[in-house]
Amino acid sequence: AQRDKIESLLAEMTLEEKIGQMNQESPSIVGGFEVPFGELIEMVTDGRLSNAEFKKIMSTAQQDCHEDEIRTGGVGSLMVQDPAKTNELQKIAVEESRLGIPLLFGLDVIHGYRTVYPIALAEACTFDPALMKKTARMAARESHSGGVAWHFAPMVDIARDARWGRVSEGPGEDPCLASAFARAKIEGLQEPEQADDPYVAACLKHYVGYGACEGGRDYNTVNMAMSLFYSVYLQPFQAAVRSGAQTAMAAFNDLNGVPCTVNKFLLRDVLKDTLGLPGFVVSDANAIKECVSHGIAADDRDAGVQAACAGLDMDMGTNIYKNHLKEAVESGQVPMEVIDDAVRRILSVKMWLGLFDNPYLTEEEMHRFDTLPQEHLALAREAGEKSIVLLKNEGNVLPLSPEKKIALVGSLADDREEVVGAWALSWRKEDCVSIRAGMEKAFPNLQYFPCGGPEGDMNADEIQRAGAYGDVVVAVLGETKAMSGEASSRADVTLPGKQRELLEKLLGFGKPVVLVLMNGRPLALEWEDRHVPAIVEAWHLGVQMGHAVANVLSGKAMPEGKLSASFPAMTGQCPVYYNHPSTGRPASKSKFTSKYLDAPLDSLYPFGHGLSYTSFALSDLQVNDAGEALDIRVKVENTGDRAGVETVQFYMQDVAASIVRPVKELKGFVKVRLAPGEKTKAAFSLPKQDMGFFDDQWKYRLENGVFRIFAGSSSRECISEEVAVCFS
Ligand code: GLC
C-alpha cells in the first residue's frame, strides 16, 4: 500500500516537484545587518564580533524559512529548532502545496536533545549497549516533541587519531565496540517501545572513512587499503544498516581520490545495492558545492550532475539541485530514473515516519518536556557515571570521604555550560549541573578556587589560597567544548594553556592531587601520569555531569568505564591504536624495531583500560571448539575490599593469514558486578564466522590456522590461549 501510494504520487509529480523533494533548506537570516550572514559567522568565529553582539544582531534579524518555496513544493526538508515553527511550515506544505507532501525536519541530535547525556566517545566507554539504546530512545522522544523527526546521528566514524576534533562525536577506535554502539543507537532512535512511543529516522554519518583524515586534520584527504576499509571503517555502517538505519550522510572527505559526495561506488554499489540502505543519502552541509574545491567538478552544475548520478539523493544547503537539476535532466545528463529513485527513497522515509498521516505536533506533545522528567535526568546521570574512566589511583587517593576538606580548582569546574560538550544544540543552561555544584552538594567542606583553565589564564594568588586550604586538591582541567567537535583539530593534544604549569604548582603544596579531566578527545598525559597520583577521565558528560563526577569521586557510584580510544603518551605517536598490525619488527627495547627515539613504545593508556576502586583477577582461561563457535570462559575474582564492575574483554589474533592481521581484535565483552572476594566465570561464544576478514575485493576470508584468544581487563592486560581452528 505504501509503495503504491509512493508510485502514484511519483506519477503525479512534475520534475520541479521531484527536485523540490531533493532540496534541503536551512532558515536563512535576512535583514538587520550590513554584511552577508556567512561573513557574520566568520566574524564571530575569528573574534571580530563578540557572542553578545552577534546575539543582539540576531535578535533583530528576520528568519526566512522559505515559505514561498515550500508553497510551490520546492523544499523537501528543513533544519528547524522550533516546534511551533515546524507546525506552521508543515501546514503550508501539507495544505497549500499542490500535492501536500509533508516536510521532513532534521537536526543534529548527537548525544541528547534537551537532556544532554555524555558525548559518544564517553558513552562508548560504558561498554553497555542497553544503556546506549536507552539514551537514544530518550533523545528520540524529546526531539520528536521539538518537531524533529530525523536525527543527523549516530555518528559512527572510527577514529584512531586524537588530533581530530570529531573523535569526540563517535564511538572510538574499535569496530566491534563501534558496531555495538551503532546497533544500539539505531534501535533506540527508530524502534518505539509501545504504540504511541515516538520514533525518528536515524542518519548514519559520516559515510565514510572521515575519521581517517590525514594528520587528524578535519576535512583532509583520506587514503586507505580497501581491506582496511571493509574490515574496520565500514563495519559500524554495515552493522547499522543491518539494524534498519533509514538514511545516511555522505562525508566531506574524498576516499582514495573520489569525494564521498560524488562516489558512485560507495553510495550506490556498496551502501544501497549491497548493504541495502532502504532510505536516502543526504550530503553534508554545502558538500556538493565543495566538490568544485575538491577539484572533481568544473562548476556547481557539474558537481550537481555528478552527485545526483552517484546516488546522493538530497542536497543539504547549496540549492545546486534546485538551480541546475531540471536543466540537467532535460538535457539528458541526468536520467529521470536517477531522480525517481532519489524521490522514491525520500518519500519512503516520510511514509515510514508516518508523516503523511500525522504531519503535525499537538500542543500537548509540544510541551511534554518543558520540564525534564526525573527519569531522564537520572538516565543522564547514570550514563555519566558509567562513562567515567579511572585512569590512575596510586595509593587509593580515591574515593574521597564526604567530610574531606577539598580545594576544588579549575575554571572548567564552575562553567555549567561546558558540561554539554560538542554538538549539543537544544539544551537549557538552567538544566546543566557544573562539577562545582555537584561537588559542593557531596562534600560540605569543599572550597572552590578558579585558578585558571584551558584558555591559558592562571591566577597565582588563587593557587596559593587553594594550596593552603584543606587535605586534598581536586583539579578540573581539560578542554572547552569548543576545542573538540567539528573544525577543532589540535596539532598538540596535551592539556591546553598553562594547565600543566597550574598542576605543577598545585603539586608543590605536597598534598594529594586528583586530576579530573573534562575533554573531548584522548590527551597526551605522559607528564601528568608521572606526577599526579589520581587521574579521572570525565569527558563532557552532559547536563548531570556535576552529580555524576561527585558520585564517582565520593564512591557513591563505582568507576566502571573502559577507554573507547587509546591515549597517546605524546602527540607525535598519533595515530595510535591497539588493533594495529605487528610489522616485521614489533616495538621492543632493541634499537632496530618499530618505535620512536623520543617517545615510549606504546600508548600511555590503551583501549579498554579503566580501573575500579577494587581490584580484579582473571585466571583459568579455557577455549573449547564447539563446532560453530569457540566457547571461551575465564574466571574473574574481585580481589579487593569493595564491590565493583569489571568489563571482561575478549580479543583474538589471527596469527598468520593471507594479509597481515592486527595483533588483537576485540570480539566481545561481558560486564560482571562482584562483591569483595566473589568469583564468577565470564563466558563468551565466538562464532567462527566472525573470525575472518575482508580482502581488497570485499571478499570475506576465513582461513584455517592458529589463533590466539585473549581475555583481558584492557587490550594490554590479558591472558591468552592458542587454538588451531579449521573452518571448512
Ligand atoms: C556539519 C557536520 C554534520 C552535520 C551537518 C548539519 O557540517 O559535518 O555532522 O550533521 O553539518 O549540521
mmCIF file of all heavy atoms in Angstrom, residues 413-434:
data_model
loop_
_atom_site.group_PDB
_atom_site.id
_atom_site.type_symbol
_atom_site.label_atom_id
_atom_site.label_comp_id
_atom_site.label_asym_id
_atom_site.label_seq_id
_atom_site.Cartn_x
_atom_site.Cartn_y
_atom_site.Cartn_z
ATOM 1 N N ALA A 413 35.434 23.785 36.130
ATOM 2 C CA ALA A 413 34.565 23.161 37.145
ATOM 3 C C ALA A 413 33.351 24.033 37.434
ATOM 4 O O ALA A 413 32.311 23.549 37.850
ATOM 5 C CB ALA A 413 35.348 22.937 38.429
ATOM 6 N N ASP A 414 33.464 25.329 37.160
ATOM 7 C CA ASP A 414 32.394 26.238 37.566
ATOM 8 C C ASP A 414 31.607 26.752 36.362
ATOM 9 O O ASP A 414 30.715 27.577 36.488
ATOM 10 C CB ASP A 414 33.000 27.428 38.320
ATOM 11 C CG ASP A 414 31.935 28.200 39.085
ATOM 12 O OD1 ASP A 414 30.927 27.567 39.457
ATOM 13 O OD2 ASP A 414 32.084 29.421 39.268
ATOM 14 N N ASP A 415 31.950 26.256 35.168
ATOM 15 C CA ASP A 415 31.250 26.745 33.974
ATOM 16 C C ASP A 415 30.229 25.695 33.539
ATOM 17 O O ASP A 415 30.554 24.751 32.817
ATOM 18 C CB ASP A 415 32.276 27.006 32.854
ATOM 19 C CG ASP A 415 31.595 27.637 31.652
ATOM 20 O OD1 ASP A 415 30.356 27.478 31.533
ATOM 21 O OD2 ASP A 415 32.295 28.265 30.842
ATOM 22 N N ARG A 416 28.976 25.888 33.976
ATOM 23 C CA ARG A 416 27.984 24.819 33.796
ATOM 24 C C ARG A 416 27.727 24.526 32.319
ATOM 25 O O ARG A 416 27.385 23.425 31.942
ATOM 26 C CB ARG A 416 26.690 25.199 34.505
ATOM 27 C CG ARG A 416 26.058 26.467 33.979
ATOM 28 C CD ARG A 416 25.031 27.096 34.869
ATOM 29 N NE ARG A 416 24.027 26.199 35.415
ATOM 30 C CZ ARG A 416 22.964 26.650 36.087
ATOM 31 N NH1 ARG A 416 22.811 27.938 36.278
ATOM 32 N NH2 ARG A 416 22.077 25.829 36.565
ATOM 33 N N GLU A 417 27.954 25.511 31.449
ATOM 34 C CA GLU A 417 27.641 25.281 30.029
ATOM 35 C C GLU A 417 28.660 24.364 29.363
ATOM 36 O O GLU A 417 28.384 23.768 28.338
ATOM 37 C CB GLU A 417 27.576 26.622 29.294
ATOM 38 C CG GLU A 417 26.486 27.525 29.849
ATOM 39 C CD GLU A 417 26.251 28.746 28.966
ATOM 40 O OE1 GLU A 417 25.845 28.565 27.806
ATOM 41 O OE2 GLU A 417 26.513 29.858 29.447
ATOM 42 N N GLU A 418 29.813 24.222 29.971
ATOM 43 C CA GLU A 418 30.868 23.398 29.347
ATOM 44 C C GLU A 418 30.536 21.912 29.446
ATOM 45 O O GLU A 418 31.072 21.099 28.707
ATOM 46 C CB GLU A 418 32.221 23.666 30.004
ATOM 47 C CG GLU A 418 32.839 24.995 29.615
ATOM 48 C CD GLU A 418 33.141 25.096 28.110
ATOM 49 O OE1 GLU A 418 33.402 24.043 27.493
ATOM 50 O OE2 GLU A 418 33.078 26.213 27.567
ATOM 51 N N VAL A 419 29.624 21.547 30.325
ATOM 52 C CA VAL A 419 29.376 20.111 30.552
ATOM 53 C C VAL A 419 28.753 19.447 29.315
ATOM 54 O O VAL A 419 28.830 18.233 29.154
ATOM 55 C CB VAL A 419 28.468 19.885 31.772
ATOM 56 C CG1 VAL A 419 29.070 20.474 33.031
ATOM 57 C CG2 VAL A 419 27.082 20.447 31.540
ATOM 58 N N VAL A 420 28.128 20.214 28.425
ATOM 59 C CA VAL A 420 27.375 19.585 27.322
ATOM 60 C C VAL A 420 28.282 19.105 26.194
ATOM 61 O O VAL A 420 27.887 18.294 25.377
ATOM 62 C CB VAL A 420 26.280 20.521 26.772
ATOM 63 C CG1 VAL A 420 25.254 20.825 27.845
ATOM 64 C CG2 VAL A 420 26.887 21.770 26.184
ATOM 65 N N GLY A 421 29.499 19.622 26.103
ATOM 66 C CA GLY A 421 30.406 19.147 25.065
ATOM 67 C C GLY A 421 30.023 19.611 23.673
ATOM 68 O O GLY A 421 29.102 20.407 23.482
ATOM 69 N N ALA A 422 30.696 19.026 22.663
ATOM 70 C CA ALA A 422 30.488 19.449 21.275
ATOM 71 C C ALA A 422 29.143 18.938 20.761
ATOM 72 O O ALA A 422 28.621 17.928 21.234
ATOM 73 C CB ALA A 422 31.622 18.887 20.411
ATOM 74 N N TRP A 423 28.569 19.681 19.795
ATOM 75 C CA TRP A 423 27.344 19.252 19.103
ATOM 76 C C TRP A 423 26.176 18.996 20.044
ATOM 77 O O TRP A 423 25.520 17.969 20.001
ATOM 78 C CB TRP A 423 27.581 18.014 18.247
ATOM 79 C CG TRP A 423 28.155 18.339 16.912
ATOM 80 C CD1 TRP A 423 29.384 18.004 16.462
ATOM 81 C CD2 TRP A 423 27.563 19.104 15.865
ATOM 82 N NE1 TRP A 423 29.603 18.513 15.206
ATOM 83 C CE2 TRP A 423 28.494 19.193 14.804
ATOM 84 C CE3 TRP A 423 26.329 19.743 15.700
ATOM 85 C CZ2 TRP A 423 28.228 19.877 13.612
ATOM 86 C CZ3 TRP A 423 26.064 20.416 14.520
ATOM 87 C CH2 TRP A 423 27.005 20.482 13.490
ATOM 88 N N ALA A 424 25.918 19.937 20.935
ATOM 89 C CA ALA A 424 24.674 19.914 21.715
ATOM 90 C C ALA A 424 23.968 21.219 21.368
ATOM 91 O O ALA A 424 24.542 22.304 21.541
ATOM 92 C CB ALA A 424 24.989 19.834 23.200
ATOM 93 N N LEU A 425 22.734 21.128 20.833
ATOM 94 C CA LEU A 425 22.109 22.332 20.280
ATOM 95 C C LEU A 425 20.867 22.799 21.027
ATOM 96 O O LEU A 425 20.519 23.967 20.977
ATOM 97 C CB LEU A 425 21.697 22.071 18.818
ATOM 98 C CG LEU A 425 22.800 21.670 17.836
ATOM 99 C CD1 LEU A 425 22.222 21.425 16.455
ATOM 100 C CD2 LEU A 425 23.878 22.745 17.777
ATOM 101 N N SER A 426 20.178 21.868 21.723
ATOM 102 C CA SER A 426 18.820 22.235 22.180
ATOM 103 C C SER A 426 18.692 22.207 23.684
ATOM 104 O O SER A 426 17.623 21.955 24.219
ATOM 105 C CB SER A 426 17.821 21.259 21.543
ATOM 106 O OG SER A 426 18.140 21.054 20.196
ATOM 107 N N TRP A 427 19.784 22.452 24.396
ATOM 108 C CA TRP A 427 19.733 22.365 25.861
ATOM 109 C C TRP A 427 19.468 23.740 26.465
ATOM 110 O O TRP A 427 19.552 24.766 25.790
ATOM 111 C CB TRP A 427 21.072 21.830 26.391
ATOM 112 C CG TRP A 427 22.248 22.536 25.787
ATOM 113 C CD1 TRP A 427 22.789 22.318 24.550
ATOM 114 C CD2 TRP A 427 23.013 23.614 26.352
ATOM 115 N NE1 TRP A 427 23.828 23.176 24.313
ATOM 116 C CE2 TRP A 427 23.998 23.979 25.410
ATOM 117 C CE3 TRP A 427 22.961 24.297 27.566
ATOM 118 C CZ2 TRP A 427 24.925 24.993 25.637
ATOM 119 C CZ3 TRP A 427 23.882 25.302 27.787
ATOM 120 C CH2 TRP A 427 24.843 25.648 26.824
ATOM 121 N N ARG A 428 19.137 23.711 27.786
ATOM 122 C CA ARG A 428 18.925 24.978 28.502
ATOM 123 C C ARG A 428 19.946 25.077 29.624
ATOM 124 O O ARG A 428 20.185 24.092 30.340
ATOM 125 C CB ARG A 428 17.508 25.018 29.099
ATOM 126 C CG ARG A 428 16.416 25.122 28.049
ATOM 127 C CD ARG A 428 15.049 25.003 28.660
ATOM 128 N NE ARG A 428 14.899 23.766 29.431
ATOM 129 C CZ ARG A 428 13.707 23.192 29.660
ATOM 130 N NH1 ARG A 428 12.622 23.742 29.178
ATOM 131 N NH2 ARG A 428 13.631 22.089 30.363
ATOM 132 N N LYS A 429 20.499 26.251 29.817
ATOM 133 C CA LYS A 429 21.560 26.454 30.798
ATOM 134 C C LYS A 429 21.095 26.035 32.192
ATOM 135 O O LYS A 429 21.831 25.399 32.947
ATOM 136 C CB LYS A 429 21.973 27.946 30.795
ATOM 137 C CG LYS A 429 23.108 28.269 31.725
ATOM 138 C CD LYS A 429 23.585 29.714 31.544
ATOM 139 C CE LYS A 429 24.693 30.042 32.546
ATOM 140 N NZ LYS A 429 25.243 31.415 32.357
ATOM 141 N N GLU A 430 19.821 26.333 32.491
ATOM 142 C CA GLU A 430 19.357 26.044 33.861
ATOM 143 C C GLU A 430 19.302 24.545 34.167
ATOM 144 O O GLU A 430 19.217 24.135 35.307
ATOM 145 C CB GLU A 430 17.985 26.683 34.114
ATOM 146 C CG GLU A 430 16.846 26.188 33.246
ATOM 147 C CD GLU A 430 16.640 27.064 32.015
ATOM 148 O OE1 GLU A 430 17.627 27.717 31.586
ATOM 149 O OE2 GLU A 430 15.513 27.068 31.489
ATOM 150 N N ASP A 431 19.384 23.718 33.114
ATOM 151 C CA ASP A 431 19.355 22.264 33.362
ATOM 152 C C ASP A 431 20.747 21.707 33.635
ATOM 153 O O ASP A 431 20.891 20.550 34.010
ATOM 154 C CB ASP A 431 18.778 21.534 32.140
ATOM 155 C CG ASP A 431 17.300 21.846 31.940
ATOM 156 O OD1 ASP A 431 16.593 22.009 32.957
ATOM 157 O OD2 ASP A 431 16.876 21.963 30.795
ATOM 158 N N CYS A 432 21.775 22.523 33.405
ATOM 159 C CA CYS A 432 23.144 21.990 33.488
ATOM 160 C C CYS A 432 23.709 22.075 34.907
ATOM 161 O O CYS A 432 23.611 23.130 35.541
ATOM 162 C CB CYS A 432 24.066 22.788 32.571
ATOM 163 S SG CYS A 432 23.587 22.684 30.846
ATOM 164 N N VAL A 433 24.275 20.971 35.378
ATOM 165 C CA VAL A 433 24.872 20.933 36.729
ATOM 166 C C VAL A 433 26.386 20.906 36.582
ATOM 167 O O VAL A 433 26.950 19.939 36.049
ATOM 168 C CB VAL A 433 24.407 19.684 37.496
ATOM 169 C CG1 VAL A 433 25.044 19.642 38.888
ATOM 170 C CG2 VAL A 433 22.883 19.662 37.595
ATOM 171 N N SER A 434 27.039 21.966 37.044
ATOM 172 C CA SER A 434 28.502 22.038 36.925
ATOM 173 C C SER A 434 29.140 21.067 37.913
ATOM 174 O O SER A 434 28.501 20.609 38.878
ATOM 175 C CB SER A 434 28.971 23.456 37.260
ATOM 176 O OG SER A 434 28.766 23.692 38.657
#
